[in-house]
Amino acid sequence: PKANAPEKISFTCDSNTLWANLALSSGTNIPDNNTAGSAVTWDNQNCPIQSLTSATIEICLNHSLISDLVWTIKAPSAANPVTFAVPANWNTGGASCAAGTGRLQSIDLLPVLIVNASTRGPWTLQVSDRTLGNTGALMQWRILLKGTN
């Protein structure tokens, strides 16, 4: 008799607890004209996904000139962080984040991640302000992963 392959189970892993980790009124300061910027980490130890079907990062920023910013995301299995420029469609509709301050942008990470990338371990978001004169803060962020074991 032929052995049955283990059944694939769908999972969703959501770092929504990160929304509460930053002070709602002030966020995490992004140093002005500083390439090191601010880094925040989600240590994902409980997500059993082995094959990603979707991966999204939501970033809420309160900054007077969003085009000054550059951010990178480093996934647990990635050799190097992925750098993102400010999306051309940065939430121009004015919708604010749960914090009530800042603008929210959702970015699809799947095109830049390997579908069978490991999701367990630390995910690090770094936001840096590359131009002098305008200041701001990372208000909140979240990673949402979907896939199968």
Side-chain angles (χ1 to χ4, degrees):
K2 189 175 181 181
N4 291 335
E7 182 182 344
K8 295 282 186 184
I9 300 172
S10 295
F11 287 95
T12 297
C13 301
D14 187 347
S15 69
N16 64 357
T17 57
L18 294 173
W19 290 105
N21 288 347
L22 301 176
L24 291 181
S25 60
S26 61
T28 298
N29 182 50
I30 303 167
D32 192 28
N33 196 30
N34 180 319
T35 57
S38 291
V40 288
T41 300
W42 170 45
D43 193 4
N44 176 26
Q45 293 300 322
N46 299 316
C47 186
I49 293 174
Q50 294 178 4
S51 180
L52 287 170
T53 56
S54 73
T56 305
I57 185 168
E58 294 177 351
I59 304 172
C60 178
L61 296 165
N62 183 16
H63 196 278
S64 55
L65 190 57
I66 213 83
S67 62
D68 285 0
L69 303 178
V70 172
W71 53 86
T72 62
I73 184 77
K74 176 135 182 0
S77 61
N80 296 303
V82 176
T83 300
F84 293 91
V86 177
N89 66 343
W90 182 268
N91 188 2
T92 56
S96 63
C97 305
T101 304
R103 294 180 183 238
L104 176 68
Q105 181 71 36
S106 182
I107 300 168
D108 182 9
L109 294 176
L110 204 52
V112 295
L113 294 177
I114 299 168
V115 172
N116 61 357
S118 172
T119 58
R120 286 190 178 174
W123 290 74
T124 302
L125 172 68
Q126 179 182 13
V127 182
S128 60
D129 181 329
R130 305 293 175 105
T131 307
L132 183 62
N134 296 288
T135 61
L138 170 63
M139 301 306 293
Q140 297 168 306
W141 72 297
R142 171 185 187 187
I143 295 173
L144 182 63
L145 307 169
K146 293 182 180 181
T148 57
N149 67 342

